[in-house]
Amino acid sequence: DAIIDSREASIDFGRAGTKGRPLNRVIAFLNANLQDTDKLIRNLKNPATRGRTMSKITMSLVIPSIATWYMGKDDERVQRLPSWQKDLFWIVPTKMSGPGWDGLIRVPKPFGPGVLFASGTERMLDWAYKNKKDAFKGYGGSMWNAFAPGIVPTAAVPLMEWWANKSMFTGQDIVPRREQGLPDKLQYGPNTTELSKYIGGKLNVSPRKIDNTIY
């Protein structure tokens, strides 16, 4: 019993079905995503664990979200951030800044429950504080990315992104519109790596797409 209980201390990565195991070999984190969602549902459905689970969610997700939202509710740097970034990170504004750093500390949230309970709390506060009608814009996509298991083999993702010029993680163009009319080898920005610029120049391909593939 102790051994079985210990496997429930975190996600039980050894728990998988006969169909999930072979898929997990080609789709990164497929089983971890499924088990994370399954564990959350089981703990909320079980009367013996429901209260403890909600208490942990409140203390570790909801309260930190209220605190960081309050710190950044009137900070222009925070408000300019894309919604996907605020859905995945607690944003802590500081008075410090420097070259290449905007003075914002990004603390990763737990992927599934973090988007549901932490980001949901922040978006609700945005809606109540500023009466933002678009406070929940893009939230459905973030929820889908957090809870829906991947269906595309991981090795194929960079190829699809390269062809579509779209990041499946952020939903943004890999090569921004202002550079799409340039020759491929000149499609780079201030943060593009020198290695990608070199390879792009030799092969006449977009350094931005090379960087994206490496990442």
Side-chain angles (χ1 to χ4, degrees), residues 122-174:
E122 293 168 353
R123 286 178 178 255
M124 195 180 329
L125 290 169
D126 273 341
W127 174 79
Y129 177 63
K130 297 182 178 179
N131 196 24
K132 291 178 63 175
K133 296 181 179 179
D134 62 344
F136 288 90
K137 183 179 180 181
Y139 187 55
S142 294
M143 287 283 288
W144 175 264
N145 290 334
F147 285 100
I151 58 174
V152 179
T154 305
V157 171
L159 301 177
M160 293 178 61
E161 291 182 330
W162 189 300
W163 174 78
N165 188 39
K166 187 79 68 176
S167 169
M168 296 179 67
F169 180 67
T170 67
Q172 305 295 316
D173 289 343
I174 298 171

Side-chain angles (χ1 to χ4, degrees), residues 89-103:
F89 299 91
W90 283 296
I91 309 298
V92 182
T94 72
K95 295 182 179 180
M96 301 179 291
S97 62
W101 184 47
D102 54 11

Side-chain angles (χ1 to χ4, degrees), residues 36-125:
D36 185 29
T37 304
D38 179 75
K39 180 178 174 64
L40 176 64
I41 293 172
R42 284 188 288 117
N43 284 345
L44 291 176
K45 286 178 65 177
N46 186 348
T49 58
R50 185 182 302 140
R52 185 167 67 250
T53 300
M54 289 306 301
S55 176
K56 289 180 178 179
I57 287 171
T58 301
M59 294 299 294
S60 63
L61 297 177
V62 176
I63 291 178
S65 295
I66 294 173
T68 54
W69 174 86
Y70 185 81
M71 294 169 66
K73 63 185 176 64
D74 296 315
D75 192 300
E76 292 184 1
R77 298 168 299 172
V78 176
Q79 300 307 315
R80 285 197 300 265
L81 293 176
S83 59
W84 68 265
Q85 194 171 135
K86 290 189 280 187
D87 282 341
L88 295 180
F89 299 91
W90 283 296
I91 309 298
V92 182
T94 72
K95 295 182 179 180
M96 301 179 291
S97 62
W101 184 47
D102 54 11
L104 303 176
I105 298 174
R106 293 160 174 82
V107 182
K109 299 174 182 175
F111 200 49
V115 174
L116 176 60
F117 296 104
S119 303
T121 298
E122 293 168 353
R123 286 178 178 255
M124 195 180 329
L125 290 169

